[in-house]
Amino acid sequence: MTPFTTRPTLSGSFGMVSSTHWLASQSAMRMLELGGNAFDAAVAGGFVLHVVEPHLNGPGGDLPALVSTVDDPRPRVLCGQGPAPAAATAEAFARMGLDHVPGSGPVAAAVPGAVDAWLLLLRDHGSLPLATVLEPAIGYARQGHPLLARTAATIERVRELFVRDWPTSAAVWLPGGEVPVAGEPFTNPAYAAVLERLVEVAGAAGDDVATQAQAARREWGEGFVADAVEAFADRRFRHADGQLLPGLVRGSDLAAYSATWEPATVMEWHGVQVAKTGLWGQGPALLQVLAVLDRLAETHGPDVLDPDTELGMHAVVEAWKLAMADREAWFGEAAPVTVEQLLDPAYVADRAALVGQRADAGLRPGSPGGLEPRLAGHVRRLLAGEATGRAADVTTGEPTVERDGATRGDTCHLDVVDRWGNMISATPSGGWLQSSPTIPELGFCLGSRSQMFWLDAGLPASLVPGARPRTTLTPTLVLRDGLPVLACGSPGGDQQDQWQSLFLLRHLVGGQGLQEAVDAPMFHTDAFPGSFHPRTMAPASLSAEDRVDPATLEALERRGHVVTREGPWSLGRMCAVARDPRTGLLAAAANPRGMQGYAVGR
C-alpha cells in the first residue's frame, strides 16, 4: 500500500521547483515556462524570497549554492557568503568594549554576498534577460504580496526596538506606526526601486545576458547600493548590550567583494556522491556523520542506518555530537585540517568507537592528523558550567519552526531541476529584517553573520578581515555516476544538516519516496555550542517530534538522552527535487511544516 503523505511527490519531465514559499516556487517555475533554465529559475525565486520572506532572508544576507550543469555536471559551489569587512578586527571590538560579536546590529554585519552571487549565477549560466528574471520580485515589492503571519509576528516582536532605537526600520516595517496585518498586501517600494535601477543599468549595457548581469553586479558593488551603505555606516544604533555603535561595513567592502566558484567537497556513499561546501561551512559535518554511521553499521547492523528505530536514532544523535564537536574545533576559514583528514577511514573508525550504548553529555573533538583541538574561551566556560555573560536578544538566533509551527529568524531554501538536467540547491539566508537597522534608500538591512566568528585569536573561525564566517548554511547535491540526481536542503541553523541526514538515510538507504522522507518525523540534538547568539548548548539533548513512537523515546531516555517532545509537525523544513538520468523523469517534494513551503512542476 502506498504510504500516506501530506501531499504527493510531484513527477514530470519538464521542470521542478521546491522552495520554502509558494510564490518563490511559482515565480521560478515561470522562468522555466518562458524557456529559461534552472539557473534563471533559481535567480528569480531567490529574489522573490527576499521580498516575501523578509524575516528569513534579505538582499543584505548570504547565499551558498551547489550547482551542476549539463555541460559540466561536476558539482561546484557558488559561494555568496560575504566575509568580515576590512574594519572588523578583534582590536576594533576591544575598543568598543566588546568581548564577542553581538548577535544583531550594524557591527554584527558581514559583507552582503547574496545579490552578487545570484547575479554571478545569471552571468555564467543564465539565459533570460535580467528584466525578465527580476520581474516577479519587482512586482511583489512594488505592488504588494500577502504578508505572512510569521512576518507580522516577527515585526510585532521587535516593534518596541524599532520604534525606540531603529527608526529607519520602523519606517519600512511599521507603516503608519502599526504592525502590518497578516494576509494583506505589503509593499517595499524602496527595494523595488533598487531592483528597477539594476534592471535599467543592465538594459543599458546591451542585450547579452552575461553582460547585463555583470553590469548589475558592478552597479551593486560600486554604484548606488555601495554609496548608500557608505553613507549609512557612520550612523550609531543601539545594540543588545545598550551601546550606541556605528557599523563596520563600508561601501569599499562591497566594491572589494566578489562571489566565487569553487570545487565542492564530495564523498562516495551508498553508490552516490554527496556534495557539500568546504570547511568554511558546516557541510562536511554531514559527510562525517554518514561515514561514522556506515562504520557503526558494520558492527551493529543495518538498524544503525534506520532513523526510525531506537538504535538508529541513538546512533545518529551520537554521531552528530562528534561531528559538531569537530566543527567547533576544526571548521572555519583558517581550518588547519582538511576534509580528507576528517574522512580518513582510520579517523572515522576512531570517532565511531566513541559511540557507546548511552548518550554522551560532553563535547569530544578529535585529533585529526594528530593535532590537538583548541576551543574558544566561551566554549570552555560553557563546558565548565560558568556564566558566559551573554543575555538573550530578541532579534537574534536562527531557530527554525517552533513547537507551534511558528518561526522567528531563520533561513530559506530553493531547489530547481530543468528538463535538460541542470540542477541547483541553494540556501539563502541572513539580512533578515530584524538583523540590523534598515538602510532607508535601499529598503533592506545588512545581515548579522559575523556573530559566528570568535574574537579569540588563532582559531579556525577567529575574526579576521576578509575571512568568511563559519556559516550554518549548507545546501546538498547528490550525484550518481557523476550525474546529478538529487538537490535538497532545509532551513534551521545548526539543525540543517541534521535533518538532511535523516532525509538522506530514509530516501537513499531506506528507499522512501521524496515526500515520504520529507514528512517523516524529525529529530535533532543541541548538545554542542550553537552558532547564534547567545551560543548556548544543551548536553545530552534530543528534540523529537512527538509522532516518534513513544516507546522509542522512552527507550532513548533510559539510554541517558534528555528528550524534549516537540509538536508533531515542528522540526525540519526540507525541500527536494530529483532527476533520473536514465529516464529523464523529474520529481519534487516540499515541507508541510509551517504551511508555506511548496513544490511545483510538470
Side-chain angles (χ1 to χ4, degrees):
M1 185 176 73
T2 302
F4 172 82
T5 55
T6 58
R7 56 190 74 179
T9 295
L10 304 186
S11 182
S13 58
F14 180 80
M16 292 285 165
V17 182
S18 179
S19 87
T20 48
H21 195 290
W22 67 91
L23 292 179
S25 295
Q26 191 56 52
S27 297
M29 191 68 197
R30 171 169 165 74
M31 298 303 119
L32 298 181
E33 298 287 0
L34 290 174
N37 61 31
F39 311 118
D40 300 306
V43 175
F47 276 94
V48 168
L49 287 172
H50 290 163
V51 177
V52 301
E53 290 192 322
H55 60 309
L56 307 180
N57 81 140
D62 333 287
L63 170 69
L66 279 153
V67 170
S68 176
T69 71
V70 172
D71 294 335
D72 184 1
R74 289 175 300 178
R76 298 181 73 201
V77 175
L78 172 64
C79 179
Q81 176 53 68
T89 64
E91 294 75 19
F93 280 87
R95 289 194 296 271
M96 290 185 280
L98 297 170
D99 63 0
H100 66 278
V101 181
S104 65
V107 302
V111 180
V115 168
D116 190 68
W118 283 127
L119 293 174
L120 178 62
L121 177 65
L122 189 69
R123 186 197 75 178
D124 291 350
H125 297 298
S127 64
L128 295 178
L130 187 65
T132 302
V133 171
L134 293 189
E135 179 184 16
I138 292 171
Y140 289 127
R142 177 69 67 189
Q143 300 164 17
H145 59 93
L147 190 73
L148 290 169
R150 292 164 191 82
T151 310
T154 298
I155 297 170
E156 175 64 50
R157 196 180 72 255
V158 295
R159 176 180 184 172
E160 182 179 349
L161 169 72
F162 283 7
V163 170
R164 185 187 66 230
D165 297 319
W166 293 5
T168 60
S169 294
V172 173
W173 302 107
L174 294 168
E178 299 296 329
V179 175
V181 178
E184 294 190 358
F186 184 85
T187 63
N188 188 341
Y191 185 48
V194 168
L195 297 181
E196 289 164 345
R197 194 161 172 183
L198 292 180
V199 167
E200 181 182 355
V201 168
D207 295 331
D208 179 70
V209 171
T211 301
Q212 288 189 354
Q214 187 61 25
R217 293 180 75 204
R218 186 165 50 250
E219 184 64 29
W220 175 273
E222 301 175 21
F224 74 96
V225 174
D227 291 343
V229 170
E230 176 66 27
F232 195 70
D234 290 328
R235 294 186 60 171
R236 293 174 176 265
F237 289 92
R238 193 171 304 280
H239 288 65
D241 63 357
Q243 291 195 72
L244 290 170
L245 298 169
L248 297 174
V249 175
R250 314 295 305 206
S252 56
D253 291 308
L254 272 72
Y257 173 74
S258 178
T260 56
W261 292 103
E262 60 187 59
T265 300
V266 181
M267 185 183 80
E268 291 283 340
W269 183 72
H270 288 260
V272 299
Q273 301 86 48
V274 183
K276 301 293 288 184
T277 69
L279 288 168
W280 51 268
Q282 72 172 333
L286 172 66
L287 306 182
Q288 285 187 273
V289 166
L290 298 179
V292 166
L293 291 174
D294 274 359
R295 180 71 182 194
L296 291 171
E298 293 175 7
T299 55
H300 293 78
D303 274 1
V304 165
L305 302 177
D306 184 352
D308 296 311
T309 65
E310 175 198 341
L311 179 59
M313 288 186 70
H314 173 74
V316 167
V317 168
E318 295 304 296
W320 270 111
K321 291 176 187 176
L322 294 169
M324 294 306 237
D326 273 354
R327 185 190 73 164
E328 194 56 53
W330 303 116
F331 287 29
E333 187 80 277
V337 301
T338 64
V339 176
E340 289 73 21
Q341 287 175 298
L342 294 171
L343 297 178
D344 180 85
Y347 183 70
V348 170
D350 288 343
R351 301 299 277 162
L354 295 176
V355 177
Q357 295 300 310
R358 292 190 56 78
D360 184 80
L363 188 74
R364 300 180 290 175
S367 298
L371 298 175
E372 286 301 312
R374 177 170 164 249
L375 301 174
H378 173 82
V379 175
R380 296 197 301 272
R381 289 190 291 274
L382 281 178
L383 296 175
E386 299 173 6
T388 63
R390 296 195 182 189
D393 178 354
V394 70
T395 66
T396 61
E398 191 172 335
T400 186
V401 182
E402 297 174 13
R403 298 182 191 185
D404 60 358
T407 61
R408 297 199 295 273
D410 200 349
T411 294
C412 306
H413 189 79
L414 173 72
D415 298 313
V416 187
V417 60
D418 62 29
R419 62 188 184 273
W420 301 289
N422 297 301
M423 190 177 289
I424 180 171
S425 171
T427 308
S429 185
W432 44 69
L433 67 89
Q434 65 273 29
S435 294
S436 62
T438 297
I439 301 173
E441 303 92 328
L442 303 180
F444 63 84
C445 64
L446 300 180
S448 55
R449 190 67 59 179
S450 285
Q451 67 183 286
M452 295 179 179
F453 285 115
W454 297 116
L455 296 186
D456 311 51
L459 298 173
S462 292
L463 176 67
V464 177
R468 289 171 291 190
R470 190 202 69 200
T471 182
T472 55
L473 306 176
T474 177
T476 300
L477 203 65
V478 178
L479 301 93
R480 180 175 286 112
D481 300 325
L483 297 176
V485 295
L486 175 69
C488 65
S490 173
D494 294 314
Q495 285 74 48
Q496 289 180 28
D497 270 330
Q498 294 192 60
W499 295 327
Q500 290 187 68
S501 69
L502 305 182
F503 171 82
L504 293 173
L505 287 167
R506 286 166 171 150
H507 177 55
L508 295 176
V509 179
Q512 293 184 11
L514 289 185
Q515 192 62 49
E516 185 182 2
V518 167
D519 284 352
M522 293 288 183
F523 59 88
H524 67 263
T525 180
D526 297 297
F528 49 84
S531 297
F532 292 86
H533 182 90
R535 306 197 76 164
T536 58
M537 62 181 291
S541 65
L542 194 170
S543 295
E545 291 183 332
D546 60 16
R547 290 184 292 135
V548 175
D549 182 5
T552 300
L553 295 180
E554 291 167 5
L556 290 165
E557 287 175 321
R558 290 192 292 271
R559 286 179 179 262
H561 294 279
V562 180
V563 176
T564 300
R565 292 160 175 81
E566 307 282 6
W569 296 93
S570 58
L571 303 179
R573 290 175 65 202
M574 288 294 307
C575 299
V577 299
R579 181 177 187 269
D580 184 340
R582 183 181 59 85
T583 63
L585 284 177
L586 312 177
N591 169 60
R593 301 162 180 87
M595 297 187 296
Q596 69 191 61
Y598 230 80
V600 296
R602 67 175 179 86

